[in-house]
Amino acid sequence: MNQAKHPKQLYLLFFTEMWERFSFYGMKALLLAYMVTQLKFDEPKGYAILGAYSALVYTMPMFGGMLADKFLGYRRAIIFGGVMMAIGHIVLAIPQDWSFFYGMAFIICGNGFFKPNVSSLVGTLYDNNDPKKDSAFSLFYMGINIGAALGGLLCGYVGQKINWHFGFGLAGIFMVLGLIIFILGKASLKEKGLPITNDLNKKIAGIIKVEHAIYLLTLLALPLIVTLFNYYEALDSIMLVLAVISVTYILYLSSKLEKEAKFKLLSALTLVVVSTLFWAFYEQNAGSLNLFAMRNVDMHVFGMELPALSVNNFLPPAWVIIMSLIFAALWPWLNKRGLEPSTPAKFALSFIFVALGFFTFYLACQASLGNGLIPLLAFVGGYFFIICGEMCISPVGLSMITKLSPVNIVGLMMGIFFFFTAIGEFLAGKIGALMAIPKHVIEANNPVLSLPYYANVLLQISIYSAGIGLFIFLLVPILKKWMGNIR
């Protein structure tokens, strides 16, 4: 692949997203461990709140994408979202009880405007059937994970070893850096990402401009989100209702399209929905695998003990950086030889790889029942397979949305893609809770006692993921037909 053929604007978005993801994943690396060790939440409650946070942070892009499509344009949405996220990280750095939930609320709202619209903006740089498009999203995804690797490593270390609030504050510094990079470079985008209507300056009831109303309503949503954290059980019903509404709305929009466009949109919706379970399995890395690494992975290397949070949150994005380079070159290489798997086949492969990764963890557990600590090498190896799965679904999914969606709802579909990721994140919290360790085992601080609690669920994840992958393979011919000339 000749990377010189990519437009320079890709690299502006690459670095903007890289530093934003540093802050986002640096903070997320600390959340569960902070709740369990510092706030003294019991593990099921910690998993539930992590699931609620993750669900909300990926639900908001559905609204942020829609508002960018209809009113703000991608650029304004990105800047507003970046400001909100920066405020959120700063609030988290304040050592007060109220700051924890309010900091997360600011980040949730900011991410809703920032995340889908950066990805959508990348899509505007390429034609739909440009063979460099999947490769560009793989490179963009590498930027995401360079930031995530550095954030997980540095914030995880600072939080666990120095001060938890310093870790949150470090994340905020790099959020501001990402925002500055975008503002300084946005002129190079020319007309891309600007609002497509003039409705922003219209006044609602003759009182407030549409643009200002959007910002105000977002701020008013903050206490509502904090309330949801305190009544997180209600999210079960909320997520179900939002899922039904979003699918129904896309089906309604598809009914108004001509046949070819309709089936392309339906194929995108199908793949978005099945991706939910991928994220439910994958996102154990931000929850249960954090505590698994702290309790049941031998972190000693050459006589030195590595900080478990840093290692666990560095490994996934580090593997992504390596595999992004490989997959960014692999897809065009296979395409030239007529061997590139279709998008649905890539989705199926993602589940097979995840099954292999969790089965690697399970085998390591079975081999380590005597001392309760699995080798670090096996932990690294399991993540290798899981990240191969991620490379088959996440950057490919982002590219798929921009290729199969009608141009006027790309932002909305990108938001829905992230919303179903949110459902997956929410389910991930429930799966993680199955690995919650009883209090008497935690107090015993004996890895031999805690290992079986993890091993049993790791095996079940592997089995279910393999089954889902095989099911999607059966759907590939139908989905390819629906996608028409898009592969």
Side-chain angles (χ1 to χ4, degrees), residues 250-270 404-406 409 413 481-484:
I250 295 303
L251 291 175
Y252 165 71
L253 292 180
S254 71
S255 70
K256 300 169 70 174
L257 299 172
E258 59 184 43
K259 184 177 179 180
E260 182 179 354
K262 175 193 298 185
F263 280 104
K264 284 181 179 178
L265 185 57
L266 289 176
S267 64
L269 181 62
T270 302
L404 292 172
S405 305
I409 62 165
M413 280 300 294
K481 183 178 179 181
W482 287 1
M483 291 168 67

Side-chain angles (χ1 to χ4, degrees), residues 1 3 6 10-11 13-15 17-19 21-22 25 115 122 134-150 316-329 387 390-391 394-396 398:
M1 180 191 66
Q3 294 182 15
H6 288 289
L10 175 64
Y11 301 101
L13 301 176
F14 177 102
F15 286 108
E17 181 75 342
M18 182 178 82
W19 293 122
R21 291 291 97 178
F22 177 106
Y25 284 103
K115 181 65 176 170
V122 172
D134 278 4
S135 141
F137 272 100
S138 289
L139 286 172
F140 178 69
Y141 206 63
M142 181 176 68
I144 289 174
N145 284 278
I146 291 174
L150 293 173
W319 270 126
V320 170
I321 294 165
I322 297 168
M323 302 312 295
S324 289
L325 292 170
I326 295 172
F327 277 82
I387 298 310
E390 183 180 1
M391 295 310 302
S394 194
V396 173
L398 295 175

Side-chain angles (χ1 to χ4, degrees), residues 166-422:
F166 288 176
F168 291 133
L170 181 63
I173 291 170
F174 284 93
M175 181 65 243
V176 173
L177 177 60
L179 187 58
I180 290 171
I181 287 172
F182 182 76
I183 291 172
L184 292 178
K186 65 185 174 70
S188 69
L189 294 165
K190 298 180 180 178
E191 77 285 353
K192 296 184 185 302
L194 293 175
I196 60 175
T197 70
N198 295 318
D199 292 341
L200 274 181
N201 293 319
K202 289 183 178 179
K203 289 193 173 182
I204 299 173
I207 299 173
I208 184 171
K209 289 182 179 180
V210 169
E211 180 178 6
H212 297 156
I214 291 171
Y215 301 152
L216 179 61
L217 287 172
T218 302
L219 292 175
L220 292 175
L222 295 172
L224 175 62
I225 292 171
V226 171
T227 301
L228 281 175
F229 279 128
N230 289 299
Y231 298 95
Y232 52 83
E233 300 92 344
L235 271 178
D236 286 20
S237 300
I238 293 172
M239 297 300 286
L240 177 60
V241 169
L242 287 175
V244 172
I245 291 173
S246 62
V247 170
T248 302
Y249 184 57
I250 295 303
L251 291 175
Y252 165 71
L253 292 180
S254 71
S255 70
K256 300 169 70 174
L257 299 172
E258 59 184 43
K259 184 177 179 180
E260 182 179 354
K262 175 193 298 185
F263 280 104
K264 284 181 179 178
L265 185 57
L266 289 176
S267 64
L269 181 62
T270 302
L271 291 174
V272 164
V273 171
V274 299
S275 71
T276 303
L277 291 171
F278 174 88
W279 298 113
F281 302 146
Y282 174 87
E283 283 298 332
Q284 296 308 310
N285 74 74
S288 62
L289 292 181
N290 261 330
L291 299 183
F292 179 60
M294 293 171 68
R295 293 169 177 153
N296 290 102
V297 179
D298 186 354
M299 289 291 170
H300 289 87
V301 176
F302 301 121
M304 178 176 63
E305 185 176 8
L306 303 176
L309 280 184
S310 291
V311 171
N312 183 60
N313 289 282
F314 174 77
L315 277 176
W319 270 126
V320 170
I321 294 165
I322 297 168
M323 302 312 295
S324 289
L325 292 170
I326 295 172
F327 277 82
L330 177 63
W331 299 139
W333 185 85
L334 290 173
N335 181 271
K336 288 179 181 178
R337 290 156 181 79
L339 298 173
E340 183 180 7
S342 65
T343 296
K346 290 174 183 176
F347 271 59
L349 285 170
S350 70
F351 282 93
I352 301 301
F353 277 123
V354 164
L356 289 172
F358 279 93
F359 193 62
T360 300
F361 292 152
Y362 170 73
L363 290 178
C365 289
Q366 292 302 108
S368 306
L369 293 175
N371 67 358
L373 296 174
I374 75 167
L376 181 57
L377 185 60
F379 196 57
V380 173
Y383 266 125
F384 164 78
F385 289 114
I386 291 170
I387 298 310
C388 284
E390 183 180 1
M391 295 310 302
C392 290
I393 196 169
S394 194
V396 173
L398 295 175
S399 180
M400 176 266 295
I401 293 296
T402 66
K403 289 189 287 189
L404 292 172
S405 305
V407 66
N408 63 322
I409 62 165
V410 169
L412 171 62
M413 280 300 294
M414 194 68 75
I416 287 176
F417 178 67
F418 289 121
F419 171 64
F420 276 90
T421 302

